[in-house]
Amino acid sequence: MAAASAARTVGRRSRHLFDFFVAEIPWTVSSKELKEYFSQFGAVQRCQLPFDRDTGFHRRYCWIKFSTPQDVQNVLQKDSHILEGSKLTLKQQTRRKRSQRRTPRE
């Protein structure tokens, strides 16, 4: 039980390393297609598209990591991002300083 809890904590922590959280992804879009789309703005280092074990479908959101800060700026310069007729919702991830991080609850 403790191992599963530790794995979830590490997973949550690692998501702070991504540049963007992307939501409203159409069901028909794959991680490969997301990488191809976002590669027009710069080199995509990683695309994490989680799947639901029960349904086998992705959860309609992902995290994107770019190679350079300039790539991130290129994404921000475009007003809207549309894939297969659906407008994607992007939220830039913010890096927290140690003093701003939550302390574990006891």
Side-chain angles (χ1 to χ4, degrees):
M1 185 73 169
S5 177
R8 280 193 301 271
T9 302
V10 170
R12 273 188 243 121
R13 196 176 312 139
S14 68
R15 290 185 184 125
H16 292 292
L17 302 175
F18 288 87
D19 296 314
F20 287 101
F21 173 78
V22 183
E24 306 298 325
I25 300 169
W27 295 108
T28 54
V29 174
S30 68
S31 61
K32 181 181 176 183
E33 291 170 309
L34 285 165
K35 277 185 176 181
E36 287 175 4
Y37 172 78
F38 283 105
S39 68
Q40 68 181 308
F41 304 105
V44 175
Q45 244 182 351
R46 188 165 177 213
C47 174
Q48 185 174 345
L49 181 66
F51 279 79
D52 185 309
R53 290 181 195 153
D54 297 331
T55 65
F57 293 106
H58 65 73
R59 296 185 175 178
R60 298 193 64 207
Y61 60 84
C62 74
W63 290 270
I64 302 285
K65 173 71 178 160
F66 286 97
S67 296
T68 68
Q70 182 57 46
D71 300 340
V72 173
Q73 291 305 312
N74 293 341
V75 173
L76 292 172
Q77 287 177 356
K78 186 169 181 183
D79 288 336
S80 61
H81 299 274
I82 299 172
L83 270 177
E84 295 190 7
S86 295
K87 185 176 180 180
L88 304 177
T89 303
L90 270 71
K91 181 179 178 187
Q92 188 174 10
Q93 299 288 101
T94 56
R95 308 258 194 279
R96 293 184 190 178
K97 295 179 182 176
R98 285 187 181 262
S99 61
Q100 294 174 325
R101 293 184 183 155
R102 294 182 189 166
T103 57
R105 294 187 179 129
E106 297 178 15

